[in-house]
Amino acid sequence: MKRGLYSVLFAVVVVSVGFGIYAWHPSIAPIKPPAKETFSSELIEKGKVLAAAGYCSTCHTASGGKPLAGNYEIHSEFGTIYSSNITPDPETGIGNWSEDAFARAMRTGVSRDGSHLLPAFPYEHFNKMSDEDIKAVYAYIMSSVEPVHQEKKENGIPFPLNLRFLQAGWKLLFADSSDFEPNLNKSDEWNRGAYLAEGITHCGACHTPRNVLGGEKHDEMYSGAPIDGWIAPSLTSSSTSPLKWRKQDFVEYLSTGNSLYHGSAGGPMAPVVHDGLAALSQDDIQAIATYFADKAGNANDDPTQSPELQKAVDAQKLPDLRIHEGARLYAASCQSCHYSEKKLVKGRPLLTLGSAVHLDEPTNLINVILDGFRADQGIKGVVMPGFRDALSDEDITAVAAYLRETAGEKPWPNLEKHVGEIRRQPRFEQ
Ligand code: HEC
Ligand code: HEC
Ligand code: HEC
C-alpha cells in the first residue's frame, strides 16, 4: 500500500520536474538597440512586406493608437487579451531584443524574459517561416518602426489560466511546432502558396476549427470555424458554396475583396485582404490561390454553364409578395442593389451565391444586415448601408429566413434569438 503510494508520488515528482524543465526557458540578455545601418535596405523592404502580410499591425495597434504599440483588445472565450508593444522602444517594446530573442518568440511563443506567450499570438504559424523571412521582419521593425513608450495592459484572464508557465502544457498538447515541409508531389507554385498560407498569413488561425482548449484541429485544417463574432467558412471541398471555388475565384477574392460567383470579404476577412494580402505580389496571390484551389478540389467548371447559377439567379427574381413578410422586405430593402436580371454585376452580389446564406449559422448574414459594408471592406470604395436602426429583430429574422429559403437550405433554428443576441453584442473594431 505504502510502496504503491510512494511510486505514485515518485511518478508525480518526475513528471513535475520533467514538465518544469520543459516549461523553463532562459531569459535572453537585453542588447543595445541595433543601428539602422546594420540591415540592408533589401532586407528591410522584404520585412515590411512580410509584416503587412502577417497583419502584425492589425493585432498590435489599438484603435486610435500608434502603429505596433500594442494594447489592441482581443476577446477570447478565456478572457480579454492585450497585444504587446512591438515597437523598438527599449523599455516597453522590443528595442532591446536580439534577433535570437525575436526568432525564439516567433517560433515558440516565448518572450525575451523566458515567459510563455498566449496562442492569440499566432506563433504556431510564424514558426513555419524561414530564418531569412523572420530576420527580415526583425530588420524592418528595428529599423523603420517608430519607438513608442507604452506599457502593455494586463490580460484579463482569470487564475489559474493566467499562469504563463501553464502555456507550456498547452504547447506540448496542441502546438504544431514542426517546420514547413514542402510537398515534393506538388508544384513550386503550390509550395510557395502553402508556405505563405500556413506561415506568415496564417489562414488556418481563423479557418481551422479549434478544440475546447483552443488548439487547432490539424486534421480538420481549413474546414471552417467561428472567429470574433463571425464564421470563417470552410475553404476545402466541404465548402457549402453553390458554385465551386476555382483558382481564379480565389485570386479575384483575395486581390479585390470580392468574387463575382461568391461574395464579399467582410468582418475580420476585410483587413486580411486589404491590409495583409495587398502587400504581396500578384505571383504570391496566385500561389496562395493555387494552394487553396487544390484544397477545394481543383474545380474548373465554367460557372456560367452551371445549373446552380441559373437556380441562384431565378431564386432572387421579384418574389411573390404574398409569400410572407420576408419577401416584401427583401423586395423593398435589398433587391434593388442585389439583383440584376441580365447578368451578374461586380459590386452587386447575388445573395443566393454567397456563403452568408449557405453556412450552418446565420451569423455572417445577420452581421452584414445590421452593419453593412464600409468602404474599406469587401470591394474597396463600395458601401452597403447597415440596417441596425431601420429593421427590427423581427424584420431581420423575416428577411434572413426568406433568403435562406430561396437559397434552398433548411431553416436556421432559433433565428430570431440569434438576431437579438448578435444585435446586442459589443461591436469590435475590425
Ligand atoms: C491575431 C493577432 C496577432 C497577430 C496577427 C500578431 N500578433 Fe504578435 N502578439 C499578439 C498577442 C495577443 C501578443 C501577446 C500575447 C500574450 O500576452 O501572451 C503578441 C505578442 C507578440 C510578441 C511578444 C512580445 C513580448 O513583449 O513578449 C512579438 C515579438 C510579436 N507578437 C510579434 C508579432 C509580429 C512580428 C507579427 C506579424 C508578423 C505579429 N506579432 C502578429 C497577437 C498577434
Ligand atoms: C444600397 C445598396 C445595398 C442595399 C440596399 C443592400 N445591400 Fe447588401 N451589399 C451591397 C454591396 C455594394 C455589397 C458588396 C460590398 C462590398 O463588396 O464592398 C453588399 C454585400 C452584401 C452581402 C455580402 C455579400 C455576400 O454574399 O458575401 C450580404 C449578405 C448582403 N449585402 C445582404 C443584404 C441584405 C440582406 C440587404 C437587405 C436587407 C442588403 N444587403 C441591402 C449593397 C446593398
Ligand atoms: C482574422 C481571421 C481570418 C484570417 C487570418 C483569414 N480569414 Fe478568410 N475569412 C474570415 C472570415 C470571418 C470570413 C467570412 C467573411 C465574410 O463572409 O464576409 C472569411 C472568408 C474567406 C473566404 C470566402 C469564403 C466563402 O465561401 O465565402 C475566403 C476564400 C478566405 N476567407 C480565404 C482566406 C485565406 C486564403 C486566408 C489566408 C491568406 C484567410 N482567409 C485568412 C476570417 C479570416
Side-chain angles (χ1 to χ4, degrees):
M1 176 73 189
K2 227 174 176 176
R3 272 243 313 269
L5 198 64
Y6 279 133
S7 52
V8 169
L9 263 177
F10 181 72
V12 167
V13 169
V14 168
V15 168
S16 312
V17 170
F19 180 73
I21 292 170
Y22 168 78
W24 186 81
H25 291 272
S27 160
I28 295 181
I31 57 161
K32 259 185 48 203
K36 189 171 174 161
E37 300 71 60
T38 333
F39 310 105
S40 75
S41 53
E42 296 84 68
L43 194 66
I44 293 172
E45 192 46 41
K46 186 174 182 197
K48 186 178 174 186
V49 169
L50 289 167
Y55 339 109
C56 316
S57 69
T58 306
C59 278
H60 281 277
T61 309
S63 165
K66 293 260 175 58
L68 301 183
N71 288 340
Y72 170 83
E73 249 178 78
I74 296 175
H75 301 263
S76 80
E77 52 207 288
F78 308 106
T80 311
I81 300 169
Y82 294 95
S83 62
S84 316
N85 178 346
I86 57 166
T87 70
D89 177 60
E91 277 127 37
T92 60
I94 61 167
N96 63 7
W97 285 38
S98 63
E99 197 182 302
D100 284 349
F102 183 76
R104 182 176 73 172
M106 293 287 276
R107 291 208 181 283
T108 63
V110 173
S111 189
R112 188 192 62 76
D113 66 5
S115 59
H116 288 276
L117 295 161
L118 300 170
F121 166 41
Y123 62 85
E124 270 195 277
H125 292 273
F126 296 151
N127 176 45
K128 305 272 180 216
M129 294 167 70
S130 66
D131 290 345
E132 177 71 10
D133 280 0
I134 289 183
K135 203 178 180 144
V137 175
Y138 178 76
Y140 163 68
I141 291 178
M142 289 309 197
S143 66
S144 315
V145 173
E146 185 203 336
V148 178
H149 192 91
Q150 175 172 288
E151 293 289 349
K152 177 186 188 304
K153 289 188 196 160
E154 197 73 50
N155 292 339
I157 295 194
F159 179 83
L161 294 177
N162 62 344
L163 297 174
R164 287 192 175 270
F165 75 89
L166 289 180
Q167 284 304 315
W170 190 93
K171 289 175 187 179
L172 190 62
L173 292 172
F174 306 122
D176 172 7
S177 55
S178 61
D179 291 345
F180 175 72
E181 280 297 337
N183 182 334
L184 300 177
N185 297 320
K186 304 279 183 188
S187 66
D188 287 351
E189 192 184 41
W190 187 100
N191 276 301
R192 173 72 183 157
Y195 172 75
L196 292 167
E198 291 172 22
I200 185 76
T201 68
H202 57 275
C203 314
C206 297
H207 285 273
T208 299
R210 292 173 186 270
N211 62 28
V212 285
L213 289 175
E216 281 180 34
K217 296 183 183 166
H218 299 295
D219 51 351
E220 294 175 35
M221 217 170 162
Y222 307 127
S223 67
I227 176 86
D228 294 348
W230 286 75
I231 305 291
S234 166
L235 303 177
T236 70
S237 53
S238 71
S239 161
T240 50
S241 272
L243 295 173
K244 295 216 163 22
W245 281 86
R246 301 163 305 158
K247 180 181 170 190
Q248 58 264 53
D249 300 324
F250 282 114
V251 171
E252 185 192 8
Y253 187 94
L254 299 175
S255 41
T256 68
N258 167 276
S259 149
L260 188 60
Y261 296 110
H262 299 93
S264 292
M269 190 58 201
V272 169
V273 171
H274 296 302
D275 302 340
L277 303 179
L280 293 176
S281 68
Q282 256 309 305
D283 284 352
D284 280 345
I285 300 287
Q286 293 274 342
I288 295 175
T290 298
Y291 171 72
F292 281 104
D294 189 37
K295 300 269 167 208
N298 282 322
N300 207 9
D301 340 346
D302 177 358
T304 61
Q305 302 305 315
S306 161
E308 288 297 330
L309 180 62
Q310 200 49 50
K311 221 166 79 191
V313 174
D314 291 346
Q316 298 305 91
K317 283 199 176 131
L318 186 66
D320 179 350
L321 299 182
R322 287 163 309 183
I323 304 178
H324 53 52
E325 184 60 16
R328 275 191 289 278
L329 282 165
Y330 163 72
S333 316
C334 323
Q335 203 200 21
S336 61
C337 293
H338 281 288
Y339 175 73
S340 145
E341 199 174 350
K342 301 262 160 12
K343 60 174 171 63
L344 296 187
V345 181
K346 180 104 172 162
R348 300 176 66 178
L350 188 74
L351 296 177
T352 32
L353 289 181
S355 55
V357 299
H358 292 281
L359 291 169
D360 292 343
E361 295 87 2
T363 320
N364 292 3
L365 180 61
I366 298 170
N367 283 336
V368 174
I369 299 177
L370 285 169
D371 295 325
F373 266 80
R374 295 192 311 250
D376 60 348
Q377 299 172 315
I379 305 169
K380 266 230 157 138
V382 172
V383 172
M384 164 175 156
F387 289 86
R388 187 173 278 276
D389 301 325
L391 299 179
S392 66
D393 286 1
E394 210 182 322
D395 295 339
I396 294 179
T397 306
V399 76
Y402 171 74
L403 289 168
R404 178 79 171 165
E405 189 185 318
T406 59
E409 301 279 3
K410 302 197 291 290
W412 280 305
N414 306 320
L415 182 55
E416 186 157 357
K417 190 168 146 259
H418 287 299
V419 174
E421 279 166 8
I422 294 176
R423 183 195 287 278
R424 287 190 300 275
Q425 250 170 29
R427 307 316 286 176
F428 308 128
E429 192 68 22
Q430 236 134 27

